Amino acid sequence: MSAADRLTDGLYGLGWSTVKKLPEPVAARLGRTVADLAWRRRGKGVQRLESNYARVRPDASPERLRELSRAGMRSYLRYWMESFRLPSWSEDRVRTGFAPKDVHHLTDGLASGRGVILALPHLANWDLAGAWVTTELKTPFTTVAERLKPETLYDRFVAYRESLGMEVLPHSGGSAFGTLARRLRDGGLVCLVADRDLSASGVEVDFFGGTARMPAGPALLAQQTGAYLLPVTLWYDGTPVMKGRVHAPVDVPESGDRATRTSVMTQALADAFATGIADHPEDWHMLQRLWLADLDPAKGPS
């Protein structure tokens, strides 16, 4: 392991071991302080966040985009502070930390026995939403995680999410899709963060007036297994309680070949994601390139 990898792994380990011991108000202040420091440095991630917000709010002035990126970094660090602390939260704290709307779409889908796919963008804290599902609804689920470097950091993330009641599969390796399909055919729940394609072979969608690429997996799983496909959006509103909405199911089109059906369904997901992002752009933690016009074709997503 390189010195840089050891440093990265050590910093995350310090976060999980130390931040979770802090009183909640202290952790919140620490998150805002770190966010403001990172924002003032204007590194590549902050600049990319601001550039992505310009796509969402094309009429925003440079001053307004700066305000949005500062709020975005504060939201992003709130996610991290909460995530470092989540394993130590009581069940009551998890239950009261999230207040979603229209959960009946999820509970009705689970009751049907058909299986349910929840598809989310990188909004607010998807880990907290997952912990709420396993705690409040007493429903375990399966998800997929990107393999991180160093490997020890990936192992930390897997252990963290498993401690919240999730089954975690690696994104790479080729076997995740089959396992997800089996879980759905058994009437289970699958949760996927689905606003950024990691394979460079996803489905092209219209997203805030530009062409982006999003993963085909959610739509393909729904077609192959008959599971419900439900978009979910999340946001913060200045209170300690995260808010969210479970959107109505994305139906499988009655006509067209598989590629056409997949394209239509993935566009429907993108449209649902866009409604949540447009309402709360500062809670969209997209610090990477997303639109095809911003990607280097030789390198793919970055």
Side-chain angles (χ1 to χ4, degrees):
M1 185 188 302
S2 69
D5 285 346
R6 285 196 299 272
L7 177 61
T8 299
D9 183 60
L11 287 173
Y12 279 99
L14 182 65
W16 268 300
S17 64
T18 302
V19 173
K20 69 180 179 182
K21 299 176 183 177
L22 297 175
E24 196 155 333
V26 175
R29 286 197 300 272
L30 175 62
R32 288 193 297 271
T33 299
V34 173
D36 288 350
L37 286 171
W39 177 75
R40 283 195 289 270
R41 288 182 59 192
R42 290 192 62 76
K44 289 183 178 179
V46 174
Q47 293 180 49
R48 176 51 52 191
L49 184 68
E50 209 163 285
S51 175
N52 289 338
Y53 287 162
R55 295 270 191 174
V56 177
R57 294 284 174 84
D59 297 329
S61 66
E63 292 77 14
R64 176 57 182 148
L65 289 174
R66 288 276 283 159
E67 292 173 0
L68 271 178
S69 66
R70 184 179 189 183
M73 289 304 295
R74 287 186 168 190
S75 175
Y76 185 48
L77 263 295
R78 175 173 170 175
Y79 159 76
W80 279 112
M81 293 299 108
E82 288 179 345
S83 294
F84 287 143
R85 294 171 56 78
L86 259 177
S88 65
W89 280 14
S90 67
E91 288 192 1
D92 184 64
R93 180 67 182 89
V94 172
R95 290 191 185 99
T96 60
F98 181 40
K101 301 177 181 178
D102 299 328
V103 181
H104 65 90
H105 290 306
L106 171 56
T107 54
D108 291 350
L110 291 171
S112 74
R114 285 174 47 186
V116 175
I117 306 157
L118 297 180
L120 308 87
H122 286 80
L123 273 169
N125 191 339
W126 46 97
D127 287 328
L128 172 55
W132 184 89
V133 167
T134 62
T135 302
E136 176 67 15
L137 301 184
K138 302 295 184 184
T139 302
F141 64 87
T142 305
T143 188
V144 175
E146 178 184 1
R147 278 203 175 276
L148 303 172
K149 292 183 179 180
E151 189 74 15
T152 51
L153 179 58
Y154 171 77
D155 292 340
R156 285 185 188 275
F157 271 92
V158 170
Y160 155 64
R161 290 186 168 126
E162 287 179 343
S163 76
L164 301 177
M166 310 175 191
E167 178 188 21
V168 183
L169 308 175
H171 180 270
S172 58
S175 62
F177 188 92
T179 302
L180 295 174
R182 286 194 295 274
R183 299 292 182 269
L184 293 168
R185 291 194 185 98
D186 290 339
L189 176 63
V190 164
C191 299
L192 301 170
V193 180
D195 58 342
R196 179 172 176 252
D197 178 52
L198 296 174
S199 67
S201 60
V203 178
E204 292 189 4
V205 296
D206 179 76
F207 199 54
F208 291 104
T211 302
R213 200 181 279 123
M214 294 189 181
L220 289 172
L221 282 167
Q223 292 175 66
Q224 186 165 314
T225 67
Y228 286 93
L229 175 56
L230 305 177
V232 177
T233 51
L234 309 170
W235 66 91
Y236 295 127
D237 64 356
T239 73
V241 180
M242 184 177 72
K243 306 303 189 298
R245 178 188 173 196
V246 182
H247 296 249
V250 172
D251 295 327
V252 177
E254 295 182 359
S255 61
D257 58 17
R258 187 174 71 167
T260 299
R261 294 195 300 268
T262 301
S263 177
V264 170
M265 295 173 72
T266 306
Q267 182 64 60
L269 285 181
D271 292 343
F273 295 166
T275 63
I277 293 168
D279 288 341
H280 304 278
E282 68 279 4
D283 292 324
W284 188 40
H285 308 150
M286 185 55 66
L287 281 72
Q288 298 85 20
R289 300 175 189 271
L290 182 71
W291 282 270
L292 298 193
D294 297 331
L295 292 170
D296 179 350
K299 296 180 180 179
S302 65

